[in-house]
Amino acid sequence: MIIGLLCSQLCHKMLPPRQQPRSGVLHTSLSLVPADGSNSDQIRDSPTESASSRETWPTADALMLSKQQQLEREKAKERENGSAEHSVVRHISNSDKMSLRDISKERVDVIAERMHHLPDDFLDKLKNELRGLIEGMGGHQHREEYLSLQKAVLSRPDLTEKTLVLAHRGQLEILVAIKTGIQAFLHPTVSLSQASLIEIFLYKRCRNIACGNPIPADNCICEICSKRNGFCNLCMCVICSKFDFEVNTCRWIGCDLCSHWTHTDCAIQNAQIGMGPPVNGGSSGEMLFRCRACMRTSELFGWVKDVFHHCAPLWDREALVRELEYVSRIFRGSEESRGRKLYWKCGELVEKLKSGIAEPLASKAILSFFQEFDIDPTKHQEGGEGRLMAPQEAFNRIADVVQEAIKKMEMVEEEKIRNTKKARLALEACDQELKDKAHEVAALKMERQKKKQQVDELESIVRLKQAKAEMFDLKASEARREAERLQRIAHAKAEKSEEDYASRYLKQRLHEAEAEKHYFFEKLKLQESSSRASQSSVGVSEPSQMMMYNKIQDLLKNMYTTPTKGDAQSGDI
């Protein structure tokens, strides 16, 4: 009974079946998530993932429903807008169009600027084209074209965090899909933040959309997590670096010491599963799994028993057959008695399930097989039938088992202590980060208050400048009116001065005419007096002289009348 109890304790060496995709701390306890009877078969393969690694993808029904809804929306849009949508597409110039090769080779800011002017239909067309290349629907040619795009993206040194911040969202999704080979980033129902896409592109975050943990996960410092770009120990295989989301299955083997996971098929192909050394003088050892991350071994028989104990009643027929086939592959090379019997039992149940036996009966049969080892572990051991063990040998075996159990418990305790220290450090870092954020918020508030004061000052300065401008406008208007008034006054004075000048000029001319008249009058008088004197001395003058004399008198009369007319004209003026 003591040996049975100790053996039942050692059956829990391996980690339990993988839990559902986690977003935080890795749990290494034996708690299991209830299964739904299947192992995530409705997941599509990515071309960069092998058959043993599948990416997140909507189910077939969801895809059909989303396609139908999309078609209905497009038809409704066409009915509402008529041919407007098609005219928009037709008006895209050849210079604005771009190809996947342009996105993979051209500068990020140039492509982003061009993408802002492209319609959503054209961007969806680019994504569908890339999705077809990743799926390899066109055969070898599509595969070569995709590898060429991936090579172009991987060889670019300018794709840094500083430049990717400037990228268009559709451009960033295409670049991430080209680099990772995961077409889920192109699906319309998958929406990640631009910061997450940049971190995935730069290997700072897990490319598994359902995981999304920062890399390295849990701040792991092992050689694999430190040197392998983009590797996440929470969801990826240590050997092939691929991931899927199957849980509660024997397809994944977890190391109970370093919490890294490995595909069962990868472990078999790379000889990570094999026979261990003989124990206590036995002819053969147990089937062991050697973790490539920490190079430590874990026992497999108890782990398989634990998986079936928790999950077998919930599996459907197809899942049960698949799990039995995995166990058969694990124990195919076993030389131990219970490992060989488990291998034969799995093959027998697979044949019965294929021939039509009900899956509850098969589950009950395999659980009964494991229960026999819990009741009497020595029953199925080599040479153990009907032989009594010597007391000393039994005590030695018990002591070995107890020592092994104590070592395991100490290792688990150390691991728990390390995890507790890590959690405490993470909590302290979080508290410090919260304090820093609080200081940053206070600084931002102060900066905002300063900016607000500066804005108020600028607004007051603007109002003052506007008032000054209005005042200067008013003064300019007054000066303009004053100039116009002075101009009118100057014009009036100029006209008056011209009139005064003309008047003075006419008066001057009148005085000159009067003086000339007086001069001629005095001269005529002198000539008349001299002529009279000469007539009195000569006597009778000649008739011609008398005639001349009369003309001179008439002329004098006319001259007397002429000043009178001039005076009248000057009076009129």
Side-chain angles (χ1 to χ4, degrees), residues 22-88:
R22 295 150 293 186
S23 60
V25 180
L26 177 67
H27 301 283
T28 58
S29 64
L30 288 174
S31 60
L32 293 170
V33 177
D36 57 355
S38 65
N39 289 62
S40 307
D41 290 329
Q42 294 177 339
I43 302 176
R44 300 182 60 178
D45 289 339
S46 168
T48 59
E49 305 288 331
S50 65
S52 64
S53 180
R54 301 172 184 176
E55 62 169 295
T56 305
W57 198 259
T59 61
D61 296 337
L63 281 174
M64 292 298 295
L65 182 61
S66 63
K67 288 182 179 178
Q68 291 177 1
Q69 292 176 351
Q70 187 175 1
L71 289 173
E72 290 175 359
R73 288 196 298 268
E74 290 178 354
K75 290 180 180 179
K77 195 173 181 180
E78 288 179 359
R79 286 195 298 269
E80 291 175 0
N81 300 335
S83 60
E85 183 178 353
H86 299 287
S87 64
V88 171

Side-chain angles (χ1 to χ4, degrees), residues 371-563:
Q371 192 174 6
E372 291 178 6
F373 288 94
D374 293 336
I375 295 173
D376 188 5
T378 63
K379 180 180 178 181
H380 298 278
Q381 292 179 355
E382 294 183 35
E385 292 84 355
R387 183 175 67 87
L388 293 177
M389 186 180 297
Q392 187 63 35
E393 184 180 356
F395 291 149
N396 292 335
R397 290 193 178 185
I398 292 172
D400 293 338
V401 172
V402 170
Q403 289 179 0
E404 186 69 21
I406 292 173
K407 289 180 181 179
K408 288 291 184 181
M409 292 173 65
E410 290 176 351
M411 294 174 65
V412 170
E413 183 181 4
E414 292 176 358
E415 183 67 23
K416 294 292 184 182
I417 292 173
R418 286 196 296 269
N419 291 335
T420 303
K421 290 182 179 178
K422 287 182 180 179
R424 188 180 295 110
L425 292 174
L427 181 60
E428 293 175 356
C430 184
D431 292 339
Q432 185 62 34
E433 186 176 359
L434 287 175
K435 292 180 181 179
D436 295 340
K437 294 295 182 182
H439 292 316
E440 291 179 3
V441 170
L444 288 174
K445 287 183 178 180
M446 293 179 62
E447 186 69 20
R448 182 181 178 185
Q449 189 68 22
K450 290 181 181 179
K451 294 293 184 183
K452 187 176 180 181
Q453 292 177 357
Q454 291 177 358
V455 170
D456 294 339
E457 292 176 359
L458 290 174
E459 288 180 352
S460 61
I461 293 172
V462 169
R463 288 194 296 270
L464 180 62
K465 294 296 183 182
Q466 288 178 349
K468 287 184 177 180
E470 292 175 356
M471 181 183 67
F472 285 130
D473 288 340
L474 182 61
K475 289 184 177 180
S477 300
E478 293 177 354
R480 192 181 301 108
R481 289 193 296 271
E482 183 68 18
E484 291 176 355
R485 186 180 67 81
L486 293 175
Q487 188 175 5
R488 288 194 298 271
I489 292 173
H491 184 67
K493 287 184 177 182
E495 291 180 351
K496 186 176 181 182
S497 62
E498 289 179 359
E499 290 177 358
D500 293 341
Y501 176 76
S503 176
R504 288 196 299 272
Y505 177 75
L506 291 176
K507 287 181 179 179
Q508 183 68 23
R509 293 295 295 170
L510 180 61
H511 292 319
E512 291 176 356
E514 287 178 351
E516 188 176 1
K517 181 184 73 172
H518 183 69
Y519 170 72
F520 281 115
F521 182 72
E522 292 295 334
K523 187 178 181 179
L524 286 175
K525 287 173 80 175
L526 181 60
Q527 289 180 356
E528 185 177 357
S529 60
S530 62
S531 62
R532 285 180 181 173
S534 63
Q535 285 179 3
S536 61
S537 62
V538 174
V540 182
S541 62
E542 294 180 358
S544 58
Q545 292 179 347
M546 290 298 296
M547 188 178 295
M548 185 177 294
Y549 178 75
N550 291 331
K551 287 181 180 181
I552 290 170
Q553 284 183 345
D554 292 337
L555 182 60
L556 290 172
K557 288 179 181 180
N558 290 333
M559 288 180 66
Y560 281 114
T561 57
T562 300

